[in-house]
Amino acid sequence: MLTIYRTDASGHVDEIEDFDKGSWIQLVNPTKDEADQVIEASGIPEDFVYDPLDIEEKPRFEKDDEGLLMIIDVPYVEEDDTGRAYNTIPLGIIVTGRHFITVCSRDLDVLNLFANGKARLFRTNYRSRFVFQILHRVSMTYLRFLRQIDRRMDELEQELQRSMRNQEIFQLMNLQKSLVYFMTSLKANDSVLDRIVKTPSLEKHEEDEELLEDVFVEHRQAMEMASIYNDIISIKMEAFGSIISNNVNFVMKFLASITIVLSIPTMISGIFGMNVQVPWEGDPFGFIMAIAMMIGFSGLAFYILWRKRYF
C-alpha cells in the first residue's frame, strides 16, 4: 500500500496524491509497481526500498548521494495459540532532499500515530525531527511491551503456584523468546542511533536536542529492562520446572498412600473370604470384629503415613 501525507501550516495531516516536496511517503507491504513509483519519484536506489521488506534484514545506517537509509527493528504484538506473541520487524526510514519515506512489510501502530495526526509538533517537512520522533515512539513502544511482558510473567507465576500443566511453561517460553528478540533488536538499534547522532547529514536543531536526549534515555532503559526481565524469566523457568516436578511427586506420593490404606481392608476381607477355616467363623460377632480389624489397621497405616507427611 502506498500512501502520501503532508502537513499544512497548522500541523493538520492531509493525504495527497502527488509526490510533493516535504511530503511523507508511506509504503506498507507495497506491490512492485508502488515501490517502483517511489524509486522513480525520489531517485533513491532500489535496495533502499526493497531491503527493509526483508523480515530478516538487520538494522543498519547507509548513506548515498540521493539520501540516507536507516533500518531499525520495531516491536509488534500478535495473538497465537499460546497467547500474545511479541516480535520485531524491520522499518526502513529514508531521508532525501525532497521526501521522507518509510518502508515496512506490515502496518505499524508507531506510524499510524503520525498518520492520524495524534503526534505533537509533527511536520512532514521537518525530516530530522520526524526521524527523532519515530525513534522516540519506537523506544516507548518497547517499554510498553516490556511492561506487558512483566505483568504477564507475574500472572503466570500465580497460575503456576496452583497448576501442574505445561501450558504455563510454554507461555513463559514464548515470553522468553520475545525478550531475546527484543534484546537482539535493541542492541542492533543502538548502533544505528549512534550513527544517526554522529552523521552531519541530519540537521539537529536546538529544539530537537531534548527529544534526542529522551530517545537515548528511553532506549537505554528499554535495553536494561529487557536484560533484567530475561534474567528473571530464566530463573523463574528453572524454579517453576522444579515446582511442577515437586507437585507431581506429591500427587504420586498421595495416591500411593491412599492405595496402601485402601489395600489393607481388601487384604483382610480376602483372608476372611477364603474357603478355609478362619478365626471367629462361628462367632456371631465375627463380622463386626473383622470390620474393626480393617478399620484399626487402616487407621494405623493412615496415622503412620500422616506423621511422615505423605498426606
Side-chain angles (χ1 to χ4, degrees):
M1 181 176 66
L2 168 61
T3 315
I4 308 173
Y5 301 98
R6 185 177 61 188
T7 52
D8 55 22
S10 63
H12 183 266
V13 181
D14 297 316
E15 186 174 336
I16 61 176
E17 298 294 333
D18 300 324
F19 296 94
D20 294 345
K21 182 178 181 180
S23 60
W24 165 30
I25 304 170
Q26 184 183 29
L27 288 170
V28 178
N29 195 21
T31 63
K32 188 177 187 305
D33 290 339
E34 292 173 338
D36 291 342
Q37 287 182 49
V38 174
I39 293 170
E40 183 179 354
S42 59
I44 58 177
E46 289 187 0
D47 58 338
F48 273 29
V49 172
Y50 287 108
D51 285 356
L53 298 175
D54 182 4
I55 61 174
E56 300 297 333
E57 188 69 26
K58 301 301 180 183
R60 73 173 194 272
F61 182 95
E62 186 175 336
K63 183 178 179 181
D64 188 85
D65 294 337
E66 300 299 330
L68 299 174
L69 168 65
M70 292 155 279
I71 300 179
I72 60 173
D73 280 341
V74 180
Y76 69 93
V77 60
E78 59 185 0
E79 301 288 339
D80 62 8
D81 295 338
T82 59
R84 303 190 92 190
Y86 299 86
N87 209 332
T88 60
I89 194 168
L91 168 65
I93 303 174
I94 306 167
V95 180
T96 70
R98 291 178 53 85
H99 305 106
F100 188 95
I101 307 169
T102 57
V103 186
C104 190
S105 58
R106 68 178 291 143
D107 194 24
L108 297 174
D109 292 337
V110 170
L111 298 180
N112 290 335
L113 179 77
F114 298 97
N116 297 331
K118 296 181 180 179
R120 295 177 58 253
L121 304 176
F122 167 56
R123 299 291 187 277
T124 56
N125 57 323
Y126 292 174
R127 292 183 286 276
S128 297
R129 180 185 297 175
F130 195 4
V131 172
F132 303 148
Q133 287 177 316
I134 290 177
L135 295 174
H136 184 248
R137 183 56 56 180
V138 168
S139 297
M140 291 178 63
T141 304
Y142 272 113
L143 290 172
R144 178 163 57 88
F145 286 167
L146 285 168
R147 293 188 185 99
Q148 292 177 5
I149 290 174
D150 183 45
R151 287 195 296 269
R152 184 55 184 154
M153 286 194 300
D154 291 339
E155 292 172 1
L156 289 173
E157 181 177 359
Q158 297 297 323
E159 293 174 11
L160 276 166
Q161 289 179 1
R162 54 181 183 273
S163 172
M164 291 179 294
R165 301 179 303 171
N166 291 328
Q167 182 179 356
E168 287 79 10
I169 292 292
F170 290 144
Q171 292 184 34
L172 277 175
M173 290 174 60
N174 196 23
L175 292 179
Q176 187 176 38
K177 182 172 66 174
S178 300
L179 287 172
V180 172
Y181 288 150
F182 279 12
M183 290 175 59
T184 304
S185 297
L186 285 166
K187 289 179 181 178
N189 286 352
D190 192 56
S191 61
V192 176
L193 286 175
D194 290 336
R195 292 288 305 277
I196 291 174
V197 172
K198 294 176 182 178
T199 180
S201 302
L202 282 175
E203 298 180 11
K204 302 172 184 64
H205 302 286
E206 184 177 350
E207 57 269 23
D208 297 332
E209 290 296 329
E210 184 177 352
L211 175 61
L212 188 58
E213 183 179 351
D214 289 342
V215 171
F216 271 94
V217 169
E218 297 195 0
H219 177 75
R220 298 293 164 79
Q221 183 182 354
M223 291 180 64
E224 292 177 3
M225 287 177 62
S227 179
I228 292 171
Y229 291 162
N230 186 61
D231 292 340
I232 291 174
I233 202 170
S234 297
I235 295 172
K236 286 185 177 182
M237 287 282 288
E238 295 178 3
F240 291 154
S242 299
I243 290 172
I244 290 178
S245 178
N246 288 338
N247 289 344
V248 172
N249 290 338
F250 176 80
V251 171
M252 296 301 296
K253 185 170 61 174
F254 177 81
L255 293 176
S257 301
I258 292 295
T259 302
I260 293 173
V261 172
L262 294 180
S263 65
I264 293 175
T266 304
M267 181 178 63
I268 294 176
S269 63
I271 293 174
F272 279 87
M274 292 181 181
N275 193 21
V276 294
Q277 188 174 0
V278 294
W280 314 308
E281 183 175 354
D283 196 317
F285 298 100
F287 177 76
I288 297 176
M289 297 177 69
I291 294 296
M293 184 183 299
M294 294 179 190
I295 296 175
F297 281 110
S298 295
L300 178 63
F302 180 87
Y303 176 75
I304 293 173
L305 294 172
W306 176 74
R307 289 297 300 267
K308 292 181 177 293
R309 299 183 183 275
Y310 276 68
F311 291 99

